[in-house]
Amino acid sequence: GIEALKKLLVVSPDSVMAYYYLAKIEFDRAEYAKAAEYYNQALSANPGFGAIYFELGVTYDLDKKVDKAIEVYKKGLEFMPHDAGIMTRLGTLYIQQGRLDDALAQFTALEKIEEARLDAMVKIGLIHFEKKRYADAAAKFEEILKSSPSFHKARYYLASAYEENAELAKAEAEFRKIPDNDTSYIDAKIHLAYIYERQGKIDSTVAELKDALKIKGENVELLRLLASIYRDAKRHNEAIETLERAIKVSPKDPELYFLIGVVFDEAKMYDQVVSSMKKVLELDPDHANALNYLGYSYAERGIELDAAEAFVKKALALKPESGHILDSLGWVYYKKGEFSKAVKELERAMKLLPEDPIVNEHLGDAYLKSSDKKKALSAYENALKMSPGNRELTEKIDRLKDETKASK
């Protein structure tokens, strides 16, 4: 035990093994600072004790002293230049620090050691991928698969590199080779869905996600993704049905209720919008987006405007720099007939969202009600630049120009 080892040090103060085993005891107790102290004393007694460099490096790493860990690993490689364990740990720390060129050099050297070659090759491929050198990444994973064709994680990385390099046909082919009993299968299906979505093949996108759900079961994230695909395709009823399935699995997730509320809004099912946003607030009373959405929904319909103002003001207190929430507050004031207040808040919103056509249009409406036709026309024209072909805006501009001519 510890006491026996300490007694040994009294008799033999340079006992390397006494310091070494004291260090291991402290390491096992997660007393990393004490362990490091004993390991360093062992190295002082015998700097050539190679095994200690690996263990001391791990100790510093676990103690979140990464720079010291790197220093120790580098010192260890001076004594054991081909130690695969130290080289792997050092390369991994370089990756964690974002020192990808140093990591690449380390794993390139490690690739020459047979027992560590495969892992080193994977790391090299992933470093190329991280550095957006997708062709180099693909070449490395192709090399791996020549000798290890059933290494499907490497095939997944290869397909991902092809996808990022816009070689979609190659990516699709490789993702399809991953069998359904492999851990990468679900992720491969998701990637296939994204590829088909980019190509506008919505039915194929849906089919891939449904296949993934057959394997994974009623997975909330997959259901959320499928619902977003339906929503983007304006297949609102299917989006709603899919989100209702997700809610059954995770009935306490406020984001699911928020998302289904947005879809209800897009489907013009306004009563369900209100009930969904109220459910969000029941689960999370400080959900700023739901507060804003509910307040804006009331304002748009011209109902419960005092409640709308309270909801939006609470949202603004939570997100005081949100241009969208400022727009909502300005719109509530507009609907209440408080046009000077509306102009003030909408001008603030436009400073934050100068390229938003809705904010510009709302500001134009508020200027018009405040009898500032010149500013109203300018705001409408700005909005039309951002939303070309908008008939309602065009009509507002034409009407305002006609009124201006008639008044001259």
Side-chain angles (χ1 to χ4, degrees):
I2 289 178
E3 293 308 316
L5 290 168
K6 287 183 176 179
K7 285 179 182 178
L8 174 58
L9 287 171
V10 172
V11 177
S12 180
D14 293 326
S15 174
V16 175
M17 297 313 295
Y19 286 124
Y20 177 69
Y21 284 114
L22 279 169
K24 290 182 76 68
I25 289 169
E26 297 295 356
F27 181 91
D28 290 340
R29 293 163 61 179
E31 294 287 347
Y32 300 124
K34 290 180 181 178
E37 183 179 343
Y38 285 128
Y39 278 131
N40 277 311
Q41 287 175 299
L43 283 174
S44 294
N46 182 4
F49 191 166
I52 293 180
Y53 291 100
F54 179 83
E55 295 179 29
L56 177 57
V58 172
T59 302
Y60 280 136
D61 191 4
L62 292 173
D63 204 25
K64 303 189 187 310
K65 296 177 179 177
V66 176
D67 289 340
K68 284 191 173 183
I70 289 174
E71 182 183 335
V72 167
Y73 288 142
K74 289 168 73 174
K75 187 70 175 175
L77 289 174
E78 292 177 14
F79 290 93
M80 301 175 296
H82 304 297
D83 188 291
I86 292 179
M87 294 169 79
T88 300
R89 297 286 301 198
L90 180 57
T92 301
L93 287 183
Y94 282 146
I95 290 174
Q96 291 173 5
Q97 287 195 325
R99 295 168 59 178
L100 297 183
D101 289 332
D102 289 333
L104 184 60
Q106 199 62 48
F107 286 114
T108 299
L110 189 61
E111 189 179 6
K112 297 170 185 173
I113 300 173
E114 184 59 35
E115 68 269 20
R117 186 168 184 265
L118 183 60
D119 183 63
M121 291 174 75
V122 171
K123 292 290 198 308
I124 290 167
L126 291 174
I127 290 168
H128 284 313
F129 193 99
E130 183 68 20
K131 290 175 75 67
K132 303 187 187 305
R133 299 198 297 240
Y134 301 120
D136 290 337
K140 184 56 67 175
F141 293 124
E142 286 169 353
E143 184 183 351
I144 292 169
L145 287 165
K146 281 179 184 175
S147 57
S148 304
S150 61
F151 186 11
H152 296 300
K153 194 66 178 179
R155 191 172 302 284
Y156 171 80
Y157 292 142
L158 172 60
S160 299
Y162 284 147
E163 183 183 4
E164 291 296 331
N165 210 33
E167 298 178 83
L168 299 185
K170 285 185 176 181
E172 179 185 354
E174 295 302 328
F175 280 131
R176 290 219 167 277
K177 291 177 185 176
I178 297 172
D180 61 10
N181 62 351
D182 189 81
T183 55
S184 299
Y185 177 77
I186 299 297
D187 287 334
K189 284 290 182 183
I190 292 170
H191 277 274
L192 283 168
Y194 280 128
I195 288 171
Y196 292 137
E197 185 188 22
R198 286 169 66 181
Q199 295 173 333
K201 300 175 181 177
I202 300 305
D203 288 339
S204 296
T205 303
V206 168
E208 294 301 332
L209 293 175
K210 284 185 173 180
D211 282 350
L213 282 163
K214 287 176 187 175
I215 301 292
K216 196 77 171 175
E218 292 288 84
N219 178 274
V220 169
E221 294 313 311
L222 282 175
L223 289 166
R224 198 192 307 265
L225 179 56
L226 178 57
S228 72
I229 299 298
Y230 282 136
R231 180 190 167 200
D232 290 343
K234 302 192 184 307
R235 292 162 62 170
H236 296 122
N237 289 339
E238 289 161 294
I240 290 165
E241 179 188 343
T242 304
L243 287 167
E244 286 173 342
R245 288 166 59 189
I247 286 168
K248 283 182 182 178
V249 178
S250 186
K252 300 294 184 183
D253 185 343
E255 298 306 322
L256 290 173
Y257 290 100
F258 181 79
L259 183 54
I260 201 171
V262 172
V263 179
F264 280 135
D265 189 23
E266 292 169 349
K268 304 188 187 311
M269 302 167 69
Y270 298 118
D271 290 341
Q272 289 90 331
V273 176
V274 171
S275 61
S276 297
M277 294 303 165
K278 284 184 175 179
K279 183 64 178 180
V280 176
L281 295 175
E282 180 185 316
L283 294 168
D284 180 4
D286 290 333
H287 195 293
N289 290 337
L291 288 162
N292 180 54
Y293 212 101
L294 188 54
Y296 186 80
S297 297
Y298 281 155
E300 274 287 89
R301 296 164 68 189
I303 62 172
E304 299 193 45
L305 294 177
D306 288 339
E309 183 178 344
F311 284 133
V312 175
K313 281 184 173 178
K314 183 176 179 181
L316 191 61
L318 294 164
K319 289 187 173 181
E321 296 303 314
S322 169
H324 293 293
I325 297 175
L326 284 165
D327 173 67
S328 295
L329 183 57
W331 199 235
V332 170
Y333 285 140
Y334 177 88
K335 289 288 188 170
K336 293 181 81 170
E338 300 177 27
F339 302 121
S340 61
K341 286 184 177 181
V343 167
K344 178 184 175 184
E345 301 305 333
L346 290 165
E347 285 180 339
R348 290 175 64 199
M350 202 186 61
K351 285 180 182 177
L352 293 168
L353 300 169
E355 303 298 319
D356 190 306
I358 293 174
V359 173
N360 277 273
E361 184 177 5
H362 284 170
L363 182 56
D365 291 341
Y367 281 143
L368 190 59
K369 286 291 186 179
S370 301
S371 300
D372 195 333
K373 293 183 179 181
K374 184 177 179 181
K375 284 186 177 180
L377 182 59
S378 176
Y380 289 147
E381 288 176 337
N382 285 337
L384 189 60
K385 287 176 187 175
M386 300 159 206
S387 183
N390 185 312
R391 279 182 56 189
E392 188 176 345
L393 276 169
T394 302
E395 288 171 3
K396 286 181 179 181
I397 291 168
D398 290 343
R399 188 165 55 247
L400 193 51
K401 284 181 176 179
D402 288 344
E403 289 175 5
T404 304
K405 286 178 184 177
S407 66
K408 287 183 179 180

